Amino acid sequence: MSEMLIETQVAVIGGGITGAALIRELSKYKVDACLLEKEGGCGFGVTKVCQGLLHGGISHLTSRTVKYHQDMPFKEYLLQPFLLKENLQNLGREEYFSLAHTLNEEIERPGRLVLAEDKEDMEMIALIKDASEDLGMRGISLLDRKGIEEMEPRVNPGFIGGLFDANEAVVLPTAWAIAFAENAEQNGAHIYKDTEVLDIDEKKDHYLIRTTNGMFKAEYVVNAAGLYADDVAKMVDAADFEITGWKAQQLVIENQDYTSRVLCGTPKPQRGRLVIPTTHNSLIVAHTFHPMTHKADRSTTKEGVTELLTWLHEFLPSISDKHLISAFSGFLTFNTKNPNDHLLESPKRGFITAAVSAPGLGPAPALAREIVRMLADQGLECTTRSDFNPYRYKAPRIIDLPAWEKNEKIEAEPKYGHMVCRCESVSEQEIRDAVRWGARTLDEIKYKTLAGFGRCQGGFCTSRVIKIMAEELKVSPLEITKNGRGSYILTSETKSVPEKGPKEVSL
Amino acid sequence: MITHDVDLAIIGAGPAGMAAAISAKEKGLENILLLERAEYPGGLLHQCIHNGFGLHYFKEDLTGPEYAERFTTQLNEMDLRLSLNTLVTHLNPDRSIVAINPEWGEFEVLPKSVVLAMGCREKSRFAVGIPGSRPAGIFTAGLAQKLVNVDGYMPGEEFVILGSGDIGMIMARRLHLEGANVKAVVEIMPRVGGLVRNEVQCLHDFDIPLLLEHTITEIFGNHRVEGVRIAGVDKDGKVMKETEKDVPCDCLLLSVGLIPENELSIEAGIELDERIGGPIVDEYLQTNIDGIFAAGNVLQVWDLVDNVTLDGVKAGTNAARFAAGELKKQPNEIEVIPGENIRTITPHKIVGSEDVEFALRVQNPIQNAELRIGEKTKKFRVLSPTEVVTVTIKPSEMEACRESGKIEVSCHERKE
């Protein structure tokens, strides 16, 4: 069987936040690059189920605290030099704010409130505050009980104080991965979705990549396969590491003014308790720690949900379980070779592995630049493109516009006034726009427009969205999927189900 | 921005909203505006192509679309203003409304009174916390009903249905008739969640297996549902691990309950009954905000559309009386106290001196029941939590309660 062969200079494997940021970075140069993503859209692997925190000033101090083993004085321990991922995170995090303008994607800076239960906790956060001062951080302040009450009146009165970090920011990670990829595409990069890499053949001066969607011939390969980075490295015999980690169950709760800031407890080992207000009016409650059994396991358990609800009540006693919207499992991954840090290496000429250790979201833009630098070092000619357009078109959310602007838009195109998703107020035309700008799956529509994100979880709008997508794409509704191959939604037209023999009723 | 000054704005043109509009007009209100988010009036009746509607209200056996048509025809004849494709985005405590539609863009409605008739929505799997993966192929029963009956597409071939609410049982029959294999309807309680007549006519008549005291403990499949794990539960609702069994299927439907849609009510500052999820109302169906009434499933989830219509009639009539200054309140309110074996009851308080119609659900099924409402008692052969009972009390029967300011409602077994 002769397969399609696509030649490219750089093939990026994996369209998570790292791969997506990288393909956009590459599109700034006169480089022929393509992205190979196994899912139906970008950002639907680990990126989708991460918490969306960019991790503010003190976050690396709090995560170091969790791993403290008393083998050196605490403060000295905290003030050790930055790891690669922490360095990239400090650079990348602030970059998101300027990217928010060019990529037209949402970002918020709610700040993070570290809550203290007792005196011991108060001492701990005072030490962290102290270390942050030594590092010259700004926007960090210690609060007493009254300070917390003024900031977040619905927080459990049992907390006696806290540390506030104004730097903490949140994004909707999948929406950002989509944004990076779309802007890259606008600038000439190629995004291949539903394209799973099966094996890689190392040739003298190039790599042959066999996928579920044809063959690719690339001079350079970047392995940004996230959870599967070890499997991809294995394909070129360069896997002296494994990707493993924790399965982290999380909840989504409707945020009825419960908190507008990220809440977390004083850091203690094996405790990742966080309440995170998202950019779209919900709270993420994170997360449980369960050893990862296998990589495809995104299941949640009853025990996990109960545990998270219990914590949530510890932070915010007035919250009602009725506002639970969804539960999901994410992963806190790390590579076994360098468990505390990113693994960024080139085991072979022309092959780079970027196996991130959590968190990967904040560092992504800076990591992308670092990878391009490595590629250039290996001989990739990186000439800046004069026609690079950093601006990504995204139709505005109609509901967020002022009335006059809404009405101007609706007058020009009445479909902007036809609200299809009731919970998030998304119009018919916004869905059409999203399809015209590349969305092909229900999940992509969800992350681009927020249709189906709300409290009814698509109960009302799914059938409408399918119909609109099919119309725009000029295909049968039967061809619309949730997230690419295998995730079909409808099976047949009614009145066409074949006659079957007698039905089995044994159970 | 366009502003509409109206006597009555009705949010939702389903059975409750349509009945309210017609009744208000009959009572003499002229300037009425119905705001409906869908592209047609009638709400969910459109997708309910089965029969059984109107047995009480019309004394006829109608299908959902037929039942809706009776009212839409009347709306047209009475020249009632209906704004379709219109989503109400805000309701303020002063009763002002902000809405959006393709024709008027974002606009404002300044009504003298409001009837809330937003209906209810289905609980999603997360509202009941079913663990497992998140593949395609999980639908609420109502969404599946829309896909099959309105859009003409099958959402799967082999089904398991979790929950035995009415829509779930009706969909089991529907899918069976469409040639699909409905492997089981799984219900955690020892009885079905919907009406007994649906259990008989939708499940038993078609040999669709009903597994009472069972639940789903896991969903399998990465891209699409590949199966579910079904397990029996003991008397306390705890899963009995040893009874777990994996059943292959490509589609899971959920019929696990309905929630009144009160996001707008909450925004306006309307107090809700936490148990029912609907507004706290008096016997006029008026909420804690004067001039805002609630009717139908937004108030409480009814079993029959006939009751929803009656609610609408009541709210519409009273909205018109409110405009005419006829809604009289007595100086002493009577608080309605749900007592023994009463799960939910409306109204929550009695403010006037007219007949009061109570609607209640019992907590546990009971035979030879005696319902006590203040001084009055009423006998029932059987009462079940799955069916709402209505009882009307005359003002003379509540005289004693007016002094204490309380009326207790309870349900007991008759000792004879």
Side-chain angles (χ1 to χ4, degrees):
Chain A
M1 192 182 78
S2 73
E3 275 185 300
M4 173 176 72
L5 179 75
I6 294 160
E7 290 190 39
T8 182
Q9 278 179 285
V10 186
V12 178
I13 301 174
I17 195 73
T18 306
L22 174 60
I23 194 75
R24 185 203 182 243
E25 189 63 28
L26 283 167
S27 74
K28 292 178 180 168
Y29 303 96
K30 287 179 182 155
V31 168
D32 187 20
C34 65
L35 178 75
L36 314 179
E37 167 55 49
K38 72 173 165 44
E39 302 282 337
C42 286
F44 286 104
V46 176
T47 301
K48 179 181 160 191
V49 289
C50 89
Q51 302 142 13
L53 283 177
L54 293 184
H55 292 284
I58 59 163
S59 76
H60 86 277
L61 298 176
T62 54
S63 48
R64 281 180 180 197
T65 305
V66 173
K67 294 178 189 136
Y68 179 54
H69 291 301
Q70 298 188 320
D71 42 2
M72 67 169 90
F74 183 60
K75 192 168 161 189
E76 190 186 317
Y77 166 80
L78 285 185
L79 292 177
Q80 289 177 92
F82 287 121
L83 298 168
L84 171 66
K85 70 169 183 183
E86 291 166 347
N87 247 329
L88 294 174
Q89 181 164 290
N90 291 337
L91 294 168
R93 184 183 61 236
E94 292 311 310
E95 211 171 322
Y96 273 94
F97 283 89
S98 54
L99 284 167
H101 295 287
T102 48
L103 292 182
N104 220 332
E105 201 40 73
E106 277 179 72
I107 186 165
E108 271 168 30
R109 207 195 275 276
R112 179 199 287 240
L113 192 51
V114 183
L115 297 163
E117 279 173 41
D118 50 32
K119 249 185 146 167
E120 202 179 310
D121 285 359
M122 287 301 281
E123 281 162 19
M124 178 68 83
I125 59 175
L127 285 171
I128 294 172
K129 158 85 166 123
D130 202 26
S132 77
E133 269 169 18
D134 285 11
L135 289 168
M137 287 179 194
R138 291 195 287 180
I140 322 266
S141 47
L142 277 169
L143 301 172
D144 57 7
R145 172 69 221 148
K146 204 169 147 244
I148 292 178
E149 226 169 84
E150 277 165 14
M151 205 172 249
E152 291 299 340
R154 299 176 79 170
V155 162
N156 193 334
F159 289 108
I160 58 170
L163 183 64
F164 182 63
D165 174 3
N167 300 293
E168 186 63 281
V170 293
V171 297
L172 182 57
T174 299
W176 274 82
I178 292 171
F180 279 123
E182 274 183 7
N183 188 230
E185 219 170 5
Q186 259 173 278
N187 285 298
H190 301 278
I191 314 286
Y192 295 92
K193 301 170 190 172
D194 269 339
T195 304
E196 182 175 354
V197 172
L198 301 171
D199 57 54
I200 303 173
D201 198 0
E202 190 185 347
K203 300 283 181 192
K204 194 162 158 271
D205 55 355
H206 66 269
Y207 293 89
L208 269 181
I209 307 166
R210 193 166 65 87
T211 77
T212 52
N213 193 18
M215 286 288 264
F216 292 80
K217 180 185 167 189
E219 290 168 43
Y220 299 89
V221 175
V222 181
N223 170 12
L227 197 52
Y228 300 92
D230 50 353
D231 297 338
V232 170
K234 244 175 244 157
M235 295 175 192
V236 293
D237 297 321
D240 52 353
F241 66 93
E242 267 178 63
I243 301 290
T244 179
W246 301 96
K247 190 171 101 171
Q249 297 190 34
Q250 298 163 62
L251 301 179
V252 186
I253 298 253
E254 225 179 301
N255 190 3
Q256 296 197 334
D257 291 329
Y258 291 119
T259 176
S260 57
R261 293 177 174 85
V262 177
L263 305 177
C264 68
T266 301
K268 276 172 196 155
Q270 286 250 329
R271 205 169 77 165
R273 301 183 186 186
L274 283 160
V275 178
I276 305 155
T278 66
T279 49
H280 47 283
N281 220 20
S282 57
L283 294 176
I284 289 182
V285 186
H287 48 75
T288 61
F289 279 97
H290 290 96
M292 192 165 87
T293 48
H294 65 100
K295 292 177 176 181
D297 177 17
R298 303 257 187 108
S299 62
T300 52
T301 61
K302 205 166 182 172
E303 294 74 24
V305 172
T306 315
E307 189 178 336
L308 289 166
L309 283 173
T310 314
W311 293 354
L312 178 64
H313 285 282
E314 280 175 26
F315 284 119
L316 298 161
S318 63
I319 221 156
S320 161
D321 294 358
K322 277 188 193 161
H323 296 138
L324 179 63
I325 296 174
S326 163
F328 63 95
S329 274
F331 296 109
L332 300 174
T333 60
F334 57 84
N335 63 79
T336 49
K337 191 170 171 183
N338 201 356
N340 284 325
D341 206 350
H342 288 352
L343 176 64
L344 185 58
E345 62 176 19
S346 179
K348 308 219 158 174
R349 207 206 77 85
F351 189 96
I352 293 174
T353 288
V356 307
S357 283
L361 181 64
L367 178 59
R369 270 202 314 275
E370 189 58 26
I371 295 170
V372 172
R373 196 190 54 74
M374 287 173 74
L375 287 168
D377 279 353
Q378 296 201 6
L380 178 70
E381 208 173 311
C382 294
T383 320
T384 320
R385 281 178 45 174
S386 55
D387 59 347
F388 173 72
N389 177 7
Y391 295 97
R392 171 225 183 195
Y393 172 80
K394 187 191 178 196
R397 256 171 77 63
I398 293 298
I399 201 70
D400 294 338
L401 298 175
W404 65 268
E405 216 178 330
K406 268 190 202 116
N407 290 344
E408 218 173 69
K409 280 245 168 206
I410 295 168
E411 204 172 323
E413 175 48 83
K415 291 191 182 90
Y416 279 120
H418 180 216
M419 292 296 160
V420 171
C421 166
R422 301 157 173 192
C423 305
E424 299 290 337
S425 302
V426 182
S427 69
E428 178 184 339
Q429 191 59 35
E430 285 167 72
I431 290 163
R432 291 186 189 277
D433 287 347
V435 175
R436 282 171 207 178
W437 284 91
R440 293 292 175 272
T441 66
L442 211 55
D443 276 355
E444 282 183 295
I445 292 286
K446 180 169 161 180
Y447 281 86
K448 276 174 71 84
T449 67
L450 298 186
F453 230 109
R455 62 187 86 89
C456 89
Q457 291 282 294
F460 281 118
C461 68
T462 300
S463 74
R464 290 177 169 81
V465 173
I466 290 173
K467 211 164 144 188
I468 295 167
M469 288 178 73
E471 255 175 55
E472 275 299 315
L473 294 168
K474 298 189 175 63
V475 299
S476 154
L478 295 171
E479 285 178 46
I480 305 296
T481 64
K482 180 172 183 285
N483 182 25
R485 77 207 139 96
S487 64
Y488 58 92
I489 298 161
L490 306 170
T491 51
S492 62
E493 288 181 26
T494 50
K495 315 284 179 279
S496 69
V497 178
E499 286 278 339
K500 284 198 210 82
K503 193 175 52 137
E504 41 164 330
V505 276
S506 62
L507 265 167
Chain B
M1 191 154 77
I2 298 174
T3 301
H4 298 273
D5 284 296
V6 299
D7 291 330
L8 171 62
I10 300 170
I11 306 177
M18 292 195 295
I22 292 162
S23 303
K25 179 112 185 186
E26 281 169 354
K27 269 275 167 189
L29 267 194
E30 272 309 314
N31 196 353
I32 299 169
L33 178 61
L34 269 152
L35 304 163
E36 168 55 48
R37 51 194 171 189
E39 48 272 59
Y40 38 72
L44 292 183
L45 283 169
H46 257 265
Q47 64 189 56
C48 299
I49 60 171
H50 52 280
N51 62 338
F53 296 90
L55 290 168
H56 299 262
Y57 194 74
F58 290 115
K59 310 275 180 263
E60 279 180 70
D61 190 0
L62 305 172
T63 64
E66 283 172 333
Y67 187 91
E69 197 191 10
R70 299 269 166 122
F71 294 89
T72 49
T73 311
Q74 227 179 327
L75 287 184
N76 282 331
E77 283 169 6
M78 295 173 85
D79 222 11
L80 280 156
R81 262 205 306 170
L82 170 63
S83 168
L84 295 171
N85 293 316
T86 302
L87 186 72
V88 172
T89 52
H90 298 287
L91 171 65
N92 300 308
D94 65 357
R95 300 193 289 257
S96 66
I97 289 170
V98 181
I100 190 165
N101 74 18
E103 194 187 343
W104 297 330
E106 184 168 73
F107 62 98
E108 198 177 26
V109 184
L110 303 175
K112 295 200 180 74
S113 59
V114 176
V115 172
L116 307 173
M118 292 90 81
C120 56
R121 68 165 175 271
E122 298 178 280
K123 280 188 190 165
S124 72
R125 66 177 274 207
F126 301 106
V128 287
I130 311 165
S133 59
R134 296 158 56 92
I138 306 169
F139 302 85
T140 57
L143 173 57
Q145 192 176 43
K146 167 104 193 302
L147 290 168
V148 175
N149 291 349
V150 181
D151 299 343
Y153 290 98
M154 293 293 284
E157 288 167 1
E158 297 193 307
F159 292 80
V160 169
I161 301 178
L162 176 65
S164 55
D166 289 313
I167 316 173
M169 294 194 284
I170 285 159
M171 278 314 289
R173 174 177 64 182
R174 181 92 216 102
L175 292 163
H176 172 83
L177 293 174
E178 285 291 342
N181 183 357
V182 182
K183 292 193 159 178
V185 173
V186 180
E187 170 61 56
I188 195 163
M189 299 296 284
R191 56 186 171 272
V192 295
L195 298 171
V196 174
R197 85 171 187 217
N198 283 329
E199 178 184 345
V200 175
Q201 295 171 9
C202 298
L203 304 184
H204 300 337
D205 286 0
F206 295 90
D207 288 337
I208 294 169
L210 168 65
L211 298 175
L212 295 174
E213 296 181 287
H214 278 71
T215 190
I216 288 176
T217 55
E218 205 166 338
I219 303 170
F220 304 109
N222 269 333
H223 299 288
R224 174 80 191 193
V225 172
E226 287 164 16
V228 294
R229 181 166 291 163
I230 297 176
V233 296
D234 63 18
K235 281 201 188 85
D236 306 317
K238 276 192 85 171
V239 171
M240 298 186 285
K241 280 267 173 210
E242 65 280 9
T243 62
E244 278 183 339
K245 182 166 183 174
D246 295 350
V247 178
C249 63
D250 67 347
C251 197
L252 172 65
L253 296 194
L254 305 174
S255 181
V256 287
L258 301 163
I259 314 170
E261 280 236 286
N262 275 294
E263 279 65 34
L264 290 171
S265 321
I266 293 167
E267 189 194 353
I270 290 169
E271 288 168 24
L272 300 188
D273 174 334
E274 279 294 319
R275 244 197 264 184
I276 307 181
I280 290 178
V281 291
D282 59 27
E283 73 273 33
Y284 302 125
L285 301 187
Q286 187 165 231
T287 65
N288 61 310
I289 300 181
D290 278 358
I292 300 188
F293 299 81
N297 288 340
V298 79
L299 178 57
Q300 64 178 315
V301 178
W302 291 93
D303 312 316
L304 301 174
V305 70
D306 309 68
N307 291 107
V308 171
T309 299
L310 289 169
D311 249 12
V313 169
K314 201 190 276 182
T317 308
N318 287 329
R321 292 173 67 201
F322 173 82
E326 285 172 21
L327 276 196
K328 294 283 185 285
K329 287 191 183 182
Q330 294 293 322
N332 306 335
E333 265 182 29
I334 303 174
E335 192 190 347
V336 179
I337 314 272
E340 192 183 319
N341 202 15
I342 300 295
R343 196 207 289 184
T344 63
I345 184 159
T346 58
H348 303 82
K349 56 191 176 188
I350 297 156
V351 298
S353 51
E354 300 170 16
D355 285 5
V356 175
E357 188 189 46
F358 289 98
L360 59 95
R361 272 180 208 274
V362 292
Q363 186 71 46
N364 299 307
I366 181 166
Q367 299 203 339
N368 294 321
E370 182 180 83
L371 195 64
R372 292 186 202 147
I373 303 182
E375 304 293 297
K376 185 176 167 129
T377 58
K378 198 169 173 189
K379 289 169 187 166
F380 292 88
R381 193 173 58 78
V382 60
L383 286 178
S384 160
T386 58
E387 292 178 29
V388 174
V389 200
T390 56
V391 183
T392 304
I393 304 291
K394 290 189 174 35
S396 57
E397 292 166 317
M398 292 183 289
E399 275 312 316
C401 303
R402 204 163 286 282
E403 287 207 351
S404 67
K406 284 186 180 129
I407 183 163
E408 188 175 315
V409 182
S410 56
C411 183
H412 311 265
E413 203 173 327
R414 274 201 313 264
K415 294 183 188 81
E416 282 160 314

